[in-house]
Amino acid sequence: MTDSLLQSKVPQGAIGDKWDNYKADMKLVNPNNKRKFKVIVVGSGLAGASAAATMAELGYDVEVFTFHDSPRRAHSIAAQGGINAAKNYRGDGDSVHRLFYDTVKGGDFRSRESNVHRLAQVSLNIIDQMVAQGVPFAREYGGMLDTRSFGGSQLQRTFYARGQTGQQLLLGAYQQLARQIGLGTVKLWNRVELVDTVLVDGRCAGIVTRDLVTGEVRSHAAHATVMCTGGYGNAFFLSTNAMNCNVTAAWRAHRKGAYFANPCYTQIHPTCIPQADDTQSKLTLMSESLRNDGRVWVPLNAGDERPAAQIPEAERDYYLERLYPSFGNLAPRDISSRAAKRAVDSGRGVGPLKNGVNLDFKDAIARLGADIVKERYGNLFEMYERITGENPYAEPMRIYPASHYTMGGLWVDYELMTTIPGLYAAGEANFSDHGANRLGASALMQGLADGYFVLPYTIGNYLAPMLGKSIPGVDHPEFKAAEQAAHRRFQGFLDIGGTRSPDHFHRELGKIIWDYCGMERTEEGLNKALSELPALYEEFKTDLRVTGDGASVNQTLEKAGRVEDFFELGMVMCRDALERRESCGAHFRAEYQDAEGEAQRNDEDFAHVAAWEYTGDPMQSVRHKEELEFETIHLAKRSYK
Ligand SMILES: Cc1cc2nc3c(=O)[nH]c(=O)nc-3n(C[C@H](O)[C@H](O)[C@H](O)COP(=O)(O)OP(=O)(O)OC[C@H]3O[C@@H](n4cnc5c(N)ncnc54)[C@H](O)[C@@H]3O)c2cc1C
């Protein structure tokens, strides 16, 4: 049964009418009254920039916070391959329903139908919005917007700007944000980190921040607060995320009462450059778009040491094409990642450490010519060559799965509100739309859907009844208490005086999570992680060394706070993975697989969202359920064969 706090507020009506019904019934704020409401937006990536710019354009008084020096540095800038939309420009049979269906199926039937349908509906608006802003999407010869395929779909619905789609989209959203900053409707706080969320009388009253240059701790009050703070993929230490991505904002809200949903749903992306040595601190993505033309293979026989060019066709295993003929190299990420792991585990890995598989463009170059391949993927090929010293036009790229995206996040209802009234979450920071596995090119779509087309409506529904009522100011005792707690916490890190850096602990913690809560999980491994993590956390608390002081730029001190939050999250991730006794999407429990090694869901017991409540000790967090109801799409075994 669904827990009473997890009411999803899904509107009445047929699936295709729900969003229209919501908008027809929601409360409105008069344009002249909007400026009386202050809205805090934490994060300036695609979700944050679009939400802040749109709400400011509507007339709200908006403040934006980012720990970067410029909003343009948000991790969204790194997105490469593209953004989905059900435009059907290709005439290949796409529709809102198909995008909805593909996304629910791609997430292995573990997402809320109503949210996903709305996402598919507003995907149409996103492309128009971004084109109107001048985003230079790729175009066909005739001038129409070009599209390509991404995993988990048999259509070409992915719009792109070479391998720099996130960059171009963020520049578009940032332009609009900058316009509002210029108009004075948005106040930007940069190089400032959220360190706490403040509740007064059960609603979110604002946030507490720490200035990363001066160390100043300061409170900010608002009528409503929106977390657009990205995902937690860096919990694994090695990931494709920007180095600064972290869970702190979401976790600090979680500690104050926002439930954290499905933390064990983490996406391991199949096409990343394999790790080169043990000291590496970052992994690089090679976009999924490359699988439109690249063919994935390993030698047929284990231990084959020959260079790729010397291995004849008959001695190659194009395993994705063999196992999943309908989707081939564009099988979804969870499935492709596991297949790559199995190939490497069977001794057929390639490269100096035998820890990769081939992504080969030989056939595409022969068919299309090197110029066309360069036009489509040139910047990715260049990036690959710079990192590996190998020329992917002449020999296959080597790729291997790596942590990339997190489907879990703050639990939100249909309005994107967390379990704390007045606190919202959007973009990768919430859990909302991707179930147990996100399809490629759907994160940018979701971030922009949330920011441009959902929040600006739903937030008004919350604010309208607050008109004329005063809100607590920053002199309220709850703000003062949170400021003091923040001071104590950061001073506490400085005072430990131990011997090991935050980075050391992050690496060790990430390894435990990767080994036991990564691509494959078992009850035994998860229990091991749950005994090792608290022990390592104790060492962190007594042996951490943070140099410098708290009153000037101190990245080691910043990192200490972020690593501490990763420790707590890591424990809840493993507990979530342990409790979910089934395999679904990216959550693969080795005990639950069919004869062909595919994920075996248990719909009877686990067709629900798991949302965790903080109790003061992450090992004692309480698991709540939101039952998922499938009224439009029938639960079925997910197959890409
Ligand atoms: C290499 C790579 C390529 C990708 N390519 C694609 C793609 O082609 N298509 C696709 O759909 N998706 C892609 N993704 C996923 C996609 O980029 C992200 O999911 C998406 O950009 C997240 O956007 P966001 O706005 O939610 O968060 P982000 O862009 O991560 O922004 C987070 C913001 O929050 C701020 N912030 C965080 N914590 C705090 C704090 N405590 N205090 C103050 N500010 C804070 C940061 O400063 C930042 O401004 C890719 C991901 C990676 C890693």
Side-chain angles (χ1 to χ4, degrees), residues 140-160:
E140 293 171 334
Y141 179 72
M144 294 287 283
L145 295 186
D146 196 14
T147 50
R148 57 190 177 196
S149 294
F150 256 61
S153 143
Q154 290 181 307
L155 301 156
Q156 289 187 285
R157 63 159 72 100
T158 305
F159 295 78
Y160 65 100

Side-chain angles (χ1 to χ4, degrees), residues 97-279:
H97 181 82
R98 267 198 198 274
L99 176 52
F100 161 60
Y101 177 81
D102 284 351
T103 309
V104 172
K105 176 184 170 189
D108 215 351
F109 305 91
R110 289 293 175 263
S111 45
R112 196 189 286 146
E113 275 192 346
S114 53
N115 287 55
V116 181
H117 197 276
R118 177 179 62 191
L119 175 67
Q121 281 173 283
V122 304
S123 73
L124 305 175
N125 307 102
I126 294 170
I127 300 303
D128 298 341
Q129 171 91 5
M130 302 318 284
V131 168
Q133 282 170 23
V135 169
F137 283 120
R139 287 179 185 267
E140 293 171 334
Y141 179 72
M144 294 287 283
L145 295 186
D146 196 14
T147 50
R148 57 190 177 196
S149 294
F150 256 61
S153 143
Q154 290 181 307
L155 301 156
Q156 289 187 285
R157 63 159 72 100
T158 305
F159 295 78
Y160 65 100
R162 229 168 42 149
Q164 305 167 336
T165 315
Q167 179 178 350
Q168 298 307 329
L169 291 173
L170 189 60
L171 291 178
Y174 169 70
Q175 281 179 119
Q176 291 194 308
L177 180 64
R179 177 169 174 273
Q180 297 299 330
I181 294 170
L183 290 171
T185 50
V186 170
K187 177 167 171 49
L188 174 71
W189 298 78
N190 62 343
R191 303 194 76 179
V192 153
E193 180 167 43
L194 178 150
V195 292
D196 212 349
T197 311
V198 177
L199 266 70
V200 177
D201 298 332
R203 59 168 285 279
C204 181
I207 61 172
V208 173
T209 57
R210 183 172 174 275
D211 186 309
L212 300 183
V213 180
T214 64
E216 184 197 14
V217 169
R218 183 173 179 154
S219 292
H220 308 265
H223 292 83
T225 298
V226 189
M227 297 286 183
C228 303
T229 47
Y232 54 87
N234 276 351
F236 291 96
F237 185 72
L238 281 176
S239 100
T240 63
N241 287 194
M243 294 289 283
N244 262 338
C245 291
N246 66 84
V247 77
T248 286
W251 200 255
R252 295 279 126 190
H254 172 59
R255 288 171 61 103
K256 286 291 173 76
Y259 286 9
F260 206 98
N262 300 332
C264 80
Y265 290 169
T266 54
Q267 177 160 85
I268 310 298
H269 196 300
T271 59
C272 308
I273 302 180
Q275 191 176 350
D277 64 47
D278 286 342
T279 57

Side-chain angles (χ1 to χ4, degrees), residues 42-48 65-68 71 73-84 150 165-166 192-195 228-231 240-242 245-246 248-249 285 287 333 404-405 426-429 438-445 447:
V42 190
S44 63
L46 282 173
F65 296 80
T66 169
F67 56 62
H68 291 101
R73 283 193 185 267
H75 161 67
S76 292
I77 202 98
Q80 299 174 349
I83 175 167
N84 288 330
F150 256 61
T165 315
V192 153
E193 180 167 43
L194 178 150
V195 292
C228 303
T229 47
T240 63
N241 287 194
C245 291
N246 66 84
T248 286
L285 176 76
S287 168
R333 292 177 180 177
H404 175 69
Y405 178 89
E428 195 174 338
R438 172 176 71 83
L439 292 184
S442 287
L444 302 182
M445 172 173 70

